[in-house]
Amino acid sequence: FADKEGLYRAVLERALKAIADVGWRILDTMAPPRKGTKGKRFEKVELLALIEALVGMLVGFYATHARVLRILRHEAMRGGPLAQDLVRTHVKPQLDDVVARFEAMRASGEVRSDVDARQLCISAVAMACFPYTDEAFLGAVWSLDPQSPAFIEERKREIVRTVMARITP
């Protein structure tokens, strides 16, 4: 690498591309894009499976890539274009797609009519990443270990329960 920014770019791009690839596979297999308005409707059990898969992906990524998150966060806070470029390339298209899918599900009555898909995405991401961006805070407050398998599984369950309670009509 020519410089530290080149190294950061490679590390961040590899991690973000990996999670994006997993996310696209989940969406393509569990929630294929709909053609028109007469697409497949989700039953509650299918919606639950989709939410579990997406939340599992997020929590798993954040639990294993906490350092990558810190680098990305640092880059974004310093105002450099690196973080913004990588997020626009690897994260934004997928979040835009998830928002569009949830808006279609809202329009068809599969999720509650008062669900704001963008706010839902922000909430899910925040719930998944907070324990890994602020491990020291959790450790100081409750002596939790966000890296323990038991914590990771309970975190996934809690986020799924919260999201499902928010979206289920």
Side-chain angles (χ1 to χ4, degrees):
F1 303 101
D3 56 16
K4 185 168 84 171
E5 188 169 317
L7 174 61
Y8 277 179
R9 175 176 281 283
V11 168
L12 293 171
E13 187 144 31
R14 184 178 304 145
L16 292 176
K17 184 179 180 325
I19 191 173
D21 289 348
V22 172
W24 287 120
R25 278 194 303 276
I26 290 169
L27 291 170
D28 289 344
T29 58
M30 299 182 84
R34 300 170 184 201
K35 305 288 188 230
T37 59
K38 294 188 179 190
K40 173 188 174 286
R41 288 182 57 89
F42 279 90
E43 299 297 325
K44 186 175 179 181
V45 68
E46 294 168 316
L47 187 57
L48 175 62
L50 175 62
I51 299 301
E52 286 174 337
L54 291 172
V55 166
M57 173 196 68
L58 286 173
V59 173
F61 175 78
Y62 295 134
T64 58
H65 291 85
R67 286 187 178 98
V68 171
L69 288 173
R70 288 183 197 111
I71 294 169
L72 188 61
R73 199 162 121 186
H74 173 75
E75 289 298 312
M77 287 173 45
R78 75 177 184 94
L82 175 62
Q84 205 170 56
D85 178 49
L86 292 173
V87 167
R88 281 189 183 140
T89 300
H90 298 288
V91 178
K92 185 181 183 328
Q94 195 163 80
L95 287 176
D96 287 345
D97 188 74
V98 168
V99 165
R101 291 173 196 238
F102 269 90
E103 286 177 352
M105 291 164 57
R106 182 184 62 198
S108 69
E110 294 165 90
V111 299
R112 289 173 42 164
S113 62
D114 64 340
V115 170
D116 180 317
R118 282 195 182 112
Q119 290 295 330
L120 180 66
C121 284
I122 291 167
S123 295
V125 168
M127 287 186 288
C129 78
F130 175 76
Y132 306 101
T133 58
D134 290 298
E135 285 184 56
F137 176 81
L138 287 180
V141 174
W142 289 308
S143 300
L144 295 174
D145 176 12
Q147 296 297 331
S148 76
F151 179 89
I152 291 169
E153 289 308 309
E154 183 54 32
R155 189 78 217 128
K156 290 177 192 177
R157 283 191 298 274
E158 180 60 26
I159 296 168
V160 168
R161 284 190 300 256
T162 301
V163 169
M164 288 299 291
R166 175 68 184 102
I167 65 174
T168 305

